């Protein structure tokens, strides 16, 4: 799709076309090591059975525009499920201050415009991801239902001005049946709360490591 990953060329259009192709065709995509410069938020429309697998944590999606998400999963029409993200970094070029509340590395959205299921993401896996320089590492769009029935493991965040996960304004009172493995959370730059309205039911929690 023409993405360069050299940290200089603007890869936004190429990556957006690639992600749309993965979602539409239920494909697994491989993201080689490199720094992929983006200048607007990447959007994965609602869909199922797609994946982005990085070569290692050195595959970096780097947002050069302040106060917009790095990657936004879902839309206001339908939920997403069976999504798999693994082994890459979502970062901002500049550290985002706490007033930049839209600078979330990974955003989940469900049906927020019509009557029906506001579920954002379910039956999905998020592993070996690094979140850098944003407001929150992960966030659910207000009015949407937080992820459920999903796995979160080996996640790391650093230099986040807000915290690790933000569910403020979500439509549900619980996020059932999620499984959280190891999460390493550097809190020294965060105003908090580190977990903001992280409401859980029937959820398994492994090791949460909070570092200052």
């Amino acid at each position: 799709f023409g993405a360069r990953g050299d940290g200089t060329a603007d890869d936004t259009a190429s990556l957006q076309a690639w992600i749309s192709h993965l979602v539409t065709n239920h494909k697994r995509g491989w993201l080689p090591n490199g720094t992929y410069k983006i200048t607007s938020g990447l959007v994965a429309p609602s869909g199922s059975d797609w994946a982005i697998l990085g070569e290692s944590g050195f595959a970096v999606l780097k947002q050069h525009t302040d106060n917009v998400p790095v990657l936004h999963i879902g839309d206001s029409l339908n939920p997403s499920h069976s999504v798999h993200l693994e082994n890459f970094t979502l970062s901002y070029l500049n550290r985002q201050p706490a007033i930049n509340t839209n600078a979330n590395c990974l955003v989940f959205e469900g049906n927020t415009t019509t009557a029906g299921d506001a579920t954002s993401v379910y039956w999905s896996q998020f592993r070996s991801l690094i979140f850098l320089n944003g407001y929150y590492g992960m966030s659910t769009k207000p009015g949407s239902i937080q992820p459920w029935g999903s796995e979160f493991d080996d996640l790391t965040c650093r230099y986040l001005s807000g915290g690790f996960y933000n569910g403020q304004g979500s439509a549900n009172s619980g996020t059932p049946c999620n499984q959280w493995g190891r999460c390493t959370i550097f809190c020294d730059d965060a105003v908090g709360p580190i977990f903001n309205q992280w409401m859980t039911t029937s959820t398994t929690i492994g090791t949460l490591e909070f570092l200052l």
Side-chain angles (χ1 to χ4, degrees):
F1 289 81
R4 300 282 296 276
D6 59 8
T8 301
D10 189 341
D11 288 327
T12 308
S14 296
L15 288 173
Q16 183 59 66
W18 177 61
I19 292 171
S20 297
H21 174 80
L22 297 178
V23 176
T24 301
N25 295 283
H26 313 289
K27 297 291 187 180
R28 297 166 65 87
W30 181 63
L31 187 68
N33 281 344
T35 298
Y36 297 86
K37 175 183 175 180
I38 59 174
T39 53
S40 63
L42 299 173
V43 178
S46 294
S48 66
D49 301 285
W50 63 273
I52 296 176
L53 308 176
E55 182 175 355
S56 74
F58 294 104
V60 181
L61 301 179
K62 183 169 285 189
Q63 178 61 267
H64 282 237
T65 301
D66 294 337
N67 205 28
V68 297
V70 178
L71 178 60
H72 188 119
I73 296 179
D75 52 45
S76 61
L77 301 177
N78 296 290
S80 296
H81 70 84
S82 306
V83 175
H84 184 184
L85 304 184
E86 184 170 356
N87 222 22
F88 62 95
T89 297
L90 299 94
S91 177
Y92 288 82
L93 175 66
N94 303 309
R95 290 196 191 182
Q96 301 295 297
I99 59 172
N100 285 4
T101 57
N102 291 319
N104 301 295
C105 298
L106 182 60
V107 176
F108 306 110
E109 182 180 1
N111 186 338
T112 56
T113 59
T114 60
D117 188 359
T119 297
S120 58
V121 179
Y122 62 97
W123 298 344
S124 296
Q125 299 172 330
F126 305 94
R127 297 173 176 164
S128 301
L129 300 176
I130 301 173
F131 307 112
L132 295 176
N133 294 342
Y135 175 53
Y136 271 87
M138 294 180 290
S139 179
T140 298
K141 186 174 180 177
S144 298
I145 293 176
Q146 298 181 42
W148 60 268
S150 296
E151 299 177 22
F152 301 82
D153 189 29
D154 192 24
L155 305 181
T156 301
C157 72
R158 196 163 196 178
Y159 309 128
L160 300 180
S161 59
F164 182 62
Y165 178 82
N166 186 12
Q168 186 174 20
S170 60
N172 59 324
S173 59
T175 55
C177 303
N178 285 324
Q179 179 174 313
W180 292 80
R182 183 177 183 85
C183 298
T184 303
I185 306 164
F186 289 84
C187 306
D188 45 340
D189 294 289
V191 299
I194 302 302
F195 287 91
N196 191 8
Q197 295 189 18
W198 183 55
M199 306 174 190
T200 63
T201 57
S202 303
T203 289
T204 300
I205 301 174
T207 301
L208 302 180
E209 182 177 13
F210 298 93
L211 301 175
L212 295 175

